[in-house]
Amino acid sequence: MAAALPEVSGPYGTKPVLTFPDGAPSDELEVVVLSRGDGAIVEAGQDIEVHYLGQSWQGNVFDNSYDRGSSISFGIGVGQVIAGWDEGLVGQQVGSRVLLSIPSHLGYGDRGVPQAGIKGGDTLVFVVDIVGVS
């Protein structure tokens, strides 16, 4: 049985809105390609450029690049970001919008990031628009 995941409204390139289902999130990393791009495949060790929205399960948006008006870039698959991003974005195509539901052991664990509003044990949900790789 597939895990219950949030519904995402909004097309690639626009700030998404998440609607959460009743019930608990999956204990596993869930990766859903909402719209598939036709660009290059993201490979570990590349720099990836993304727009994203991050929200805790049934909670508040804690960060998003859309409101800032600029994407971010970082090394992917090399431990520069939380494990759920490394595992969920490597192998995706540039131009894709991807939903990631990341259990705490692949996110910020029991410590969380209190200053960002992420509690210990929180499942994190991200909508990621893959803009490019280099």
Side-chain angles (χ1 to χ4, degrees):
M1 183 174 118
L5 293 170
E7 288 185 29
V8 180
S9 61
Y12 177 93
T14 64
K15 182 179 176 182
V17 174
L18 299 175
T19 304
F20 286 85
D22 293 331
S26 174
D27 297 350
E28 304 296 322
L29 174 65
E30 301 288 341
V31 180
V32 177
V33 177
L34 300 169
S35 62
R36 186 171 309 281
D38 58 6
I41 300 293
V42 176
E43 297 178 22
Q46 290 181 312
D47 285 338
I48 186 173
E49 180 184 352
V50 301
H51 265 297
Y52 68 94
L53 177 133
Q55 188 167 348
S56 55
W57 189 270
Q58 297 282 19
N60 295 322
V61 172
F62 54 81
D63 194 13
N64 84 87
S65 64
Y66 301 95
D67 289 347
R68 288 191 298 274
S70 64
S71 57
I72 63 165
S73 297
F74 51 86
I76 192 69
V78 293
Q80 289 186 9
V81 291
I82 59 175
W85 278 50
D86 277 345
E87 291 181 27
L89 296 179
V90 169
Q92 302 296 341
Q93 280 185 275
V94 172
S96 295
R97 173 167 271 199
V98 181
L99 173 69
L100 302 172
S101 178
I102 303 175
S104 67
H105 69 276
L106 296 175
Y108 294 106
D110 292 335
R111 291 173 308 177
V113 184
Q115 64 272 28
I118 301 170
K119 298 188 296 293
D122 272 358
T123 293
L124 307 178
V125 179
F126 289 92
V127 177
V128 181
D129 290 341
I130 303 173
V131 177
V133 290
S134 58

